[in-house]
Amino acid sequence: MPVFPEEPEIHESLPGPGVPFPRESDAQALHAPATGGAPTAPTTTAAAPLPVPGPRSAPRPAPPRADRSGPPRLIPKPGPAPRRPAPAVPQVEVRRIAAVPAEALERADGTVDQLLDSGRNPGEILVLTVGEAHPWQQHELSFGEQRYWAQLTEGGDVFYADAALTRPARREVVVLVVNGGSPARAAEAYTEALGRATALLVVCGEAGPAAASSAGAAPGRPVKA
């Protein structure tokens, strides 16, 4: 019986140079048994999930702006402040009662009575004499100067004083009694009395710039508050 030589065994070898290395899926397909079913799709491995980014960091601070070149901007100087209107000076009404120096005190007492009867408060009236002190002033001074000046501070009654009063005293109504003294002294007393009155000045006698016109006034002319 003839002896046939054995066929050499074919071993799988690596592909030669220039031949692409077969993929793992192709190798599985070669070794898979042939069946009558449909060819199976090559399996793929799932990609690894991407790392989740952490919280967003704070925004970077903006770079400092470069200084603008050029001359500095000139700021206009403010103009003069507008002048405020001066406060209105209250007008003091001046009333005159013609009287000779011997009758000035009597006319002044009658004027004070009329002012009180019209509703004036006694503390609103100041009586100033140019000549001899009023009898009521002399009476109050008999109790001492401290008590006398306290009445001016308290302001509860009619206050009688000399026209050359140096202490600050202002009242709504001032009655100036020209019962003596020189015309120059009477004119000075008129200016001082006008500065102490806030509403009304009553001049009993001749004093002030309009003293000449008061000569025609009726003696004891009624004075209304």
Side-chain angles (χ1 to χ4, degrees), residues 145-158:
E145 289 191 2
Q146 184 177 359
R147 181 72 186 98
Y148 170 73
W149 292 114
Q151 292 184 351
L152 176 62
T153 305
E154 295 170 359
D157 201 355
V158 181

Side-chain angles (χ1 to χ4, degrees), residues 3 25 27 30 52 56 78 80 106-107 112 114 145 149 160 182 190 218 221:
V3 178
S25 58
L30 293 175
V52 179
R56 187 176 182 182
E106 182 180 356
R107 298 289 185 264
V112 172
Q114 293 179 20
E145 289 191 2
W149 292 114
Y160 298 85
S182 63
Y190 173 86
R221 184 178 179 181

Side-chain angles (χ1 to χ4, degrees), residues 26-220:
D26 296 340
Q28 294 177 355
L30 293 175
H31 293 282
T35 57
T40 58
T43 59
T44 58
T45 57
L50 298 177
V52 179
R56 187 176 182 182
S57 58
R60 296 183 179 179
R65 299 179 60 183
D67 296 336
R68 296 183 178 180
S69 59
R73 185 179 58 179
L74 299 178
I75 302 176
K77 296 182 179 180
R83 294 183 179 180
R84 295 183 179 180
V89 179
Q91 297 294 330
V92 178
E93 181 183 358
V94 179
R95 299 179 185 177
R96 297 179 179 275
I97 297 178
V100 296
E103 300 174 348
L105 282 175
E106 182 180 356
R107 298 289 185 264
D109 290 342
T111 300
V112 172
D113 292 339
Q114 293 179 20
L115 291 171
L116 296 176
D117 293 341
S118 64
R120 284 284 182 180
N121 192 313
E124 300 175 352
I125 303 174
L126 174 65
V127 180
L128 302 176
T129 54
V130 178
E132 187 180 0
H134 194 281
W136 272 109
Q137 179 184 357
Q138 299 177 17
H139 174 72
E140 297 296 340
L141 282 172
S142 64
F143 297 98
E145 289 191 2
Q146 184 177 359
R147 181 72 186 98
Y148 170 73
W149 292 114
Q151 292 184 351
L152 176 62
T153 305
E154 295 170 359
D157 201 355
V158 181
F159 191 77
Y160 298 85
D162 191 273
L165 179 65
T166 57
R167 299 199 179 192
R170 296 197 68 186
R171 293 196 176 183
E172 292 190 13
V173 181
V174 176
V175 179
L176 179 62
V177 186
V178 188
N179 58 339
S182 63
R185 178 69 188 95
E188 183 181 355
Y190 173 86
T191 303
E192 294 175 357
L194 186 61
R196 297 183 184 276
T198 59
L200 175 62
L201 171 63
V202 181
V203 182
C204 298
E206 296 183 5
S213 61
S214 65

